[in-house]
Amino acid sequence: MKSLIALMVILPILCGLLLNLLHKKDKTIKILALTVAIILPIIPLIASYGAYYFGGYPPIAENPTIAKYLPAYITGSYLVKFHPAITYIFTSAQRIFIFILGIIAFFAIFTSLNEVKKPSGVYSFLMFMATAAVTAILLTDDMFNLYVFFEIATISQAGIILSSNIKGSYKMALRYLFLGGVAAPMLLLGVALLLGVIGNVNISDMVFAMRNGLIGQGNPIFLTAAGLIIFGWLYGSGLPPFHTIKSGLYSKALPHAASLIQAFSVFTLAALGIIILRLFYYIPVVRWAIIIFSIAGMALGISMAIMQTDFKRLIGFLAVGELGYIGIGLGLGTTMSITVGLFQAVNEVLVTACLFLGFGTILYQTGISEIDKLGGLLRYRPGVAGLMILAGFIMAGIPPFNVFQSKLMLIESAISAGFPELAIIMILLSIVTFMTFMKAYYSIYLKPEPRGLEVKAERIPSSTIFSMIILLVICTILGILPQLATSQFGSIIHGLL
Amino acid sequence: MTLYDAIIGKVREIEKKTRMEARVTNISVSAVLTAELTIVSTILLVILMVRKLDVYIMVLFLLVGFMLFSMTPIVVILHREQTDSFHKMIFYVILTFGVLITLLYWGNINV
């Protein structure tokens, strides 16, 4: 069943390519896209844990047939442990991440196909390509392969925005690509420097080389590589200085696409963050850099969110701000904090997706995103308003939901690690998140309806409501049983610390 | 002039400059005040925390903090700087890149 590991990436790519070719064949596009979208979250549940070697070349140490024909100076050296092939690693942590990514991708594709009369093969292609790219980022143990999929994810996300047909989406997508033109080559340069110093692009081999003294950790080239890779990480995840463009990107996407794109950002943050920790854990300033950028992301994102007058931008900034909690978990670098940071990643993906879909219903009903022009929407769809307030409570960290569990555990980890200041910052920003959400909720649902507000569509697509309910149910289950998720991350952390 | 008046004055000034049509409401002023207090408290707590990394970096953060506090309300300036202007974005991207590489290189030698 190990071939299923590769299939998690190959299947969405193949499906995307096929959809791209099926222009104007609406029914076929719908059936194919939905079938693959249903299969995506199932594959990680049935795949076996382990490593998949592309081309079928495991390390020499695992292949005695080849080893017996090699000279002793090779079989007796470190080379036997090095990975000659592009390697994908699938553990319980990847299982939960790819499962959740599959669920979000399914809801995004399902909602998009239900909201439009004529499905676009190109649009679905971009969603599948980006999903495949982020899945590969989560699985790969090869730095260059990671860079390639990082670029594919960037281009696909820009493509999704370009296809959204929202005013200003072209400019935003191009800005995102231009900034990517600065950040992504820096990531590649970091990879190239590591290749130059270590002679290998496999992450496990790099870690092995460092821990066995094959390379000095104070090496200036190594430090520069650390800086360059962290810079790429900031771009991929949307932490400052890329928080403005990332929130802009969310605001110019259709709601279902925004829910998917934010999942890409969160999982890129988690996957690259873990790689940075694996490579540079023993350089304390790297963990400090992660913490400082995470705090900056939280403070800037949440304080900008509360000042927004457009709810799409508001939720965009909130999504960016919440990323900081994950970064803090990783930056603290303890077993508990990393576990909880990854748990927060799962939680944030679920609740933010729900909020994007929920805010999308307001846009669907009124076509307006300026908060000042809205009001009194509670009487049209009280059920959806109820779901929205639940999602807002979850994001702010109200018990007994999943985000409460992860934020509480993060605060405990910060105090245990000797950083009470961080704990206070996290509490403070959670309160402001709650206030931001309530400000938007009051203005949209509770405030008297402004004169001239036209509610064009009272009926909201049932696919959207269904997706929101399922996401909220998962949030509640993870809130009551957090160990369902937290117990899955041991495999990653065991090899890290 | 109280902080409240200073913030309202600054919000009006910015709105005039940017020709915004929105009115200054109770909600918008309380939002700005909340954001301001959040930013100020976060900066103070970060300065306090950074002492565990290095005293020199704490002094550097303290100086930056004082510079920011002298420009109160900070959040209005932050709001103006965090627009969709490509020039501003690229400026902060390059600035961050320079600071990051310098700190990492310096940090490993001195921390």
Side-chain angles (χ1 to χ4, degrees), chain A residues 199-214:
Chain A
N200 198 330
V201 282
N202 183 278
I203 298 162
S204 297
D205 295 347
M206 287 179 181
V207 175
F208 179 83
M210 278 181 286
R211 292 193 180 173
N212 287 281
L214 299 179

Side-chain angles (χ1 to χ4, degrees), chain A residues 44-299:
Chain A
L45 296 180
I46 54 173
S48 312
Y49 296 142
Y52 182 85
Y53 306 106
F54 279 87
Y57 300 108
I60 297 169
E62 291 176 25
N63 193 347
T65 322
I66 291 182
K68 71 179 178 189
Y69 294 110
L70 291 171
Y73 68 86
I74 292 181
T75 51
S77 72
Y78 289 121
L79 285 174
V80 291
K81 290 188 176 176
F82 278 20
H83 297 74
I86 291 174
T87 309
Y88 280 4
I89 307 279
F90 184 64
T91 66
S92 52
Q94 273 92 349
R95 169 172 284 176
I96 190 160
F97 280 150
I98 296 168
F99 171 69
I100 298 289
L101 179 63
I103 294 264
I104 303 290
F106 166 71
F107 285 141
I109 291 159
F110 177 54
T111 317
S112 84
L113 292 175
N114 271 285
E115 280 180 2
V116 291
K117 282 177 189 163
K118 288 198 165 192
S120 161
V122 178
Y123 190 64
S124 305
F125 157 76
L126 289 164
M127 289 208 275
F128 276 113
M129 279 304 280
T131 307
V134 177
T135 307
I137 290 172
L138 285 164
L139 286 170
T140 191
D141 196 31
D142 184 287
M143 269 309 249
F144 189 72
N145 190 257
L146 180 136
Y147 167 75
V148 171
F149 279 108
F150 183 87
E151 282 285 29
I152 293 173
T154 303
I155 295 165
S156 307
Q157 287 176 67
I160 291 171
I161 304 300
L162 284 170
S163 321
S164 70
N165 272 336
I166 293 174
K167 193 183 170 192
S169 62
Y170 275 55
K171 271 188 182 175
M172 196 59 80
L174 283 174
R175 280 187 198 123
Y176 185 65
L177 281 179
F178 281 134
L179 289 176
V182 178
M186 295 301 155
L187 176 68
L188 181 61
L189 188 59
V191 176
L193 290 179
L194 283 180
L195 174 65
V197 175
I198 299 170
N200 198 330
V201 282
N202 183 278
I203 298 162
S204 297
D205 295 347
M206 287 179 181
V207 175
F208 179 83
M210 278 181 286
R211 292 193 180 173
N212 287 281
L214 299 179
I215 170 183
Q217 284 162 12
N219 185 324
I221 298 175
F222 187 67
L223 290 173
T224 312
L228 293 167
I229 292 171
I230 290 175
F231 191 66
W233 174 68
L234 296 176
Y235 173 73
S237 53
L239 286 173
F242 299 102
H243 62 295
T244 322
I245 187 71
K246 207 66 167 186
S247 64
L249 208 63
Y250 297 150
S251 70
K252 297 295 176 198
L254 293 169
H256 55 262
S259 70
L260 189 57
I261 293 175
Q262 63 83 27
F264 298 152
S265 305
V266 173
F267 286 130
T268 306
L269 182 143
L272 254 171
I274 288 290
I275 291 168
I276 289 169
L277 281 184
R278 284 180 73 192
L279 289 170
F280 309 112
Y281 185 82
Y282 293 101
I283 306 174
V285 80
V286 166
R287 278 180 281 137
W288 272 97
I290 293 174
I291 290 177
I292 298 287
F293 278 108
S294 302
I295 296 174
M298 286 160 74

